[in-house]
Amino acid sequence: MSKWYVDKGEQGDIVLSTRVRLARNLEEYPFPCRLDTAGKIKVNEKVRDTLLSCAPELGLHYVTMDSLSREQAISLAERHLISPEFASVREGRALMLTEDETVGIMLCEEDHIRVQVMKSGLALMDCYVLADKIDSALDKKLNFAFDERLGYLTQCPTNLGTAMRASVMLHLPALRRSGQLSVLSSTISKLGLSLRGAYGEGRESRGDIYQLSNQITLGITEQAAIENLQSITRQLVTQERAAAERMCADIAMQDKIYRALGILQSARVLTCDEMMDLISLVRLGSARGILNIPIEKLNELLVRCEAAYKDYEFLTVSHAVNDFCVVTLSSLYLDIIKDRLYCDGKDSASRRSAQSALWMILDAMTKVFAPILAFTCDEIWLQMPHRTEDDPRNVVLNQMTKP
């Protein structure tokens, strides 16, 4: 099985991934915040031995977090396999992970045990069934902290009850750009769900990536929570596709998509916000069939770049963008542009769109290379058309291009 960010699952044009997480604590030990390092290690080893004996077919690998480098821990957080907090404080903590990264179990994070199952696309029931299987195997050998009235006891009171958080990661560029998302978010909250940005704070999100998850864990069964989330997710998918179809029928939006593709292919310096916005447009074009680029490649690029920018890991971003441009874009984009320039009508929308994209690439590259090749770029600048807000006297008197 492929890793979730490499594969494209059901409803993969809108739904990037599905995650189901269960929190459990051992009755005979205090919560992790009250345990010393020796106590945490005892819990970790007890859970490890139980899983390796009761569920060997999962092929789980055990690793102590303090044996990993900072870069390795950050990489796990980038792939949403552990929480950022789990990566930052590693003493007394451990991780059990399958080879394909579908199953990850954090030991002594906020709770003693955090079982997480993650798959590509919309796969709520599949994730829940596997998480429940692991939970049942642990329950046979361990004494979970449980109360008849409150359900599973957790360090955070908001998880009491089922202690299950199920979520889907959605790409919703059309709903966000059309202004419908804020209204939908308010409605969704009344149904016991939360819609918030997967990258960024609150409801805003870089790259139009949002996380839809259940908020209620007390007084509801796990199956009912999964069914509610599944139903609302399918409704959001339907509305996003309808909004995207209307939006992408406009030549102006198609032009934005091709411009984004051109800038990604040619630019040398991009901010995190620029990168995520451009990738979002290209992913929208891919999902709607405007661009012939595999969505799973864009998913992988999103995951690799976002957290790396946050931690100033510019080499990681450089390699990821370079691979994406060389392997995925170059073999497709130039062929598309060539055919439109040579074969389509002189004043056709498709040919004008291609010319606009090429001009945007030239403009961006000239400004980007100006600090290095000042005289050459200035000669180019003097011969090319400019925006009204540009200073035509010299390329170095202008800001680098933004989308």
Side-chain angles (χ1 to χ4, degrees):
M1 183 182 294
S2 300
K3 295 176 173 61
W4 73 265
Y5 52 87
V6 175
D7 203 4
K8 177 186 175 183
E10 182 186 346
Q11 315 291 342
D13 58 325
I14 310 295
V15 185
L16 278 73
S17 65
T18 299
R19 179 176 68 180
V20 172
R21 190 198 71 202
L22 300 175
R24 299 290 185 261
N25 288 283
L26 304 185
E27 189 176 46
E28 59 269 32
Y29 291 91
F31 288 130
C33 64
R34 301 295 300 274
L35 276 175
D36 58 17
T37 301
K40 291 178 181 178
I41 292 173
K42 286 182 180 179
V43 171
N44 297 344
E45 292 177 346
K46 188 169 187 176
V47 176
R48 177 200 64 189
D49 295 343
T50 300
L51 277 171
L52 293 180
S53 62
C54 294
E57 69 279 3
L58 292 175
L60 288 162
H61 300 280
Y62 177 85
V63 58
T64 57
M65 291 301 296
D66 55 11
S67 68
L68 301 178
S69 66
R70 175 180 176 274
E71 290 74 20
Q72 289 173 318
I74 289 173
S75 178
L76 291 170
E78 287 176 11
R79 305 197 299 276
H80 296 266
L81 302 176
I82 62 174
S83 65
E85 193 273 336
F86 195 72
S88 61
V89 182
R90 302 195 293 277
E91 186 179 3
R93 292 174 166 178
L95 175 70
M96 299 190 74
L97 190 66
T98 57
E99 191 68 34
D100 62 5
E101 301 180 357
T102 296
V103 177
I105 302 173
M106 290 182 285
L107 302 179
C108 285
E109 193 227 27
E110 184 178 279
D111 297 290
H112 293 148
I113 306 169
R114 282 283 178 94
V115 176
Q116 173 179 289
V117 178
M118 201 165 187
K119 294 190 176 185
S120 58
L122 183 57
L124 279 164
M125 190 52 67
D126 289 346
C127 288
Y128 169 68
V129 169
L130 182 52
D132 185 60
K133 177 183 176 182
I134 297 169
D135 182 43
S136 298
L138 289 169
D139 195 33
K140 290 178 181 178
K141 299 288 185 179
L142 303 174
N143 296 318
F144 288 147
F146 183 83
D147 181 84
E148 290 294 334
R149 186 170 62 90
L150 298 175
Y152 290 102
L153 302 181
T154 56
Q155 182 171 306
C156 181
T158 59
N159 290 326
L160 289 171
T162 62
M164 182 192 77
R165 295 289 181 184
S167 63
V168 289
M169 203 182 316
L170 305 163
H171 184 226
L172 304 174
L175 289 177
R176 197 268 300 173
R177 290 172 184 270
S178 63
Q180 300 178 57
L181 203 58
S182 58
V183 177
L184 286 170
S185 182
S186 298
T187 303
I188 286 170
S189 65
K190 298 174 184 177
L191 301 173
L193 301 177
S194 171
L195 182 67
R196 68 187 306 276
Y199 299 117
E201 296 298 325
R203 293 177 181 175
E204 296 302 318
S205 177
R206 292 190 182 109
D208 300 316
I209 305 297
Y210 293 86
Q211 185 180 68
L212 179 67
S213 61
N214 69 301
Q215 287 294 94
I216 300 173
T217 59
L218 196 60
I220 187 173
T221 65
E222 295 168 346
Q223 291 85 349
I226 292 290
E227 290 171 5
N228 185 37
L229 180 57
Q230 177 107 345
S231 174
I232 301 302
T233 299
R234 291 191 179 278
Q235 292 180 49
L236 276 176
V237 167
T238 300
Q239 293 189 49
E240 170 63 25
R241 284 180 182 151
E245 186 174 353
R246 291 191 299 269
M247 188 172 289
C248 290
D250 185 356
I251 190 65
M253 176 52 70
Q254 294 176 26
D255 184 59
K256 282 185 178 181
I257 290 170
Y258 276 104
R259 285 171 185 252
L261 181 62
I263 293 171
L264 279 173
Q265 185 184 22
S266 302
R268 293 298 179 266
V269 179
L270 290 172
T271 66
C272 182
D273 288 342
E274 285 178 306
M275 167 65 69
M276 297 298 285
D277 188 52
L278 292 170
I279 292 176
S280 177
L281 283 169
V282 172
R283 192 180 192 282
L284 173 63
S286 177
R288 301 272 56 86
I290 297 172
L291 300 175
N292 186 24
I293 297 173
I295 283 179
E296 54 270 26
K297 294 292 185 181
L298 294 169
N299 293 346
E300 185 175 3
L301 185 64
L302 279 168
V303 171
R304 293 176 66 186
C305 287
E306 170 63 21
Y309 264 122
K310 290 181 179 178
D311 292 293
Y312 303 99
E313 301 287 344
F314 298 117
L315 185 61
T316 299
V317 176
S318 175
H319 286 172
V321 174
N322 182 71
D323 291 345
F324 180 75
C325 291
V326 172
V327 178
T328 305
L329 297 185
S330 292
S331 60
L332 297 170
Y333 184 63
L334 293 180
D335 283 341
I336 294 171
I337 291 295
K338 178 184 67 177
D339 292 341
R340 292 188 175 191
L341 291 173
Y342 290 157
C343 302
D344 291 6
K346 180 180 178 181
D347 295 319
S348 66
S350 57
R351 188 171 186 271
R352 293 298 300 274
S353 174
Q355 289 174 322
S356 296
L358 288 172
W359 176 81
M360 287 289 293
I361 293 170
L362 176 63
D363 181 76
M365 291 183 66
T366 304
K367 291 175 180 176
V368 165
F369 283 125
I372 303 171
L373 300 172
F375 292 108
T376 301
C377 288
D378 189 45
E379 289 178 3
I380 296 171
W381 186 255
L382 294 174
Q383 299 300 318
M384 60 182 286
H386 308 297
R387 301 179 181 89
T388 55
E389 64 268 24
D390 284 339
D391 191 327
R393 294 175 297 170
N394 194 295
V395 64
V396 298
L397 300 176
N398 296 272
Q399 296 292 324
M400 289 188 182
T401 301
K402 294 184 178 181

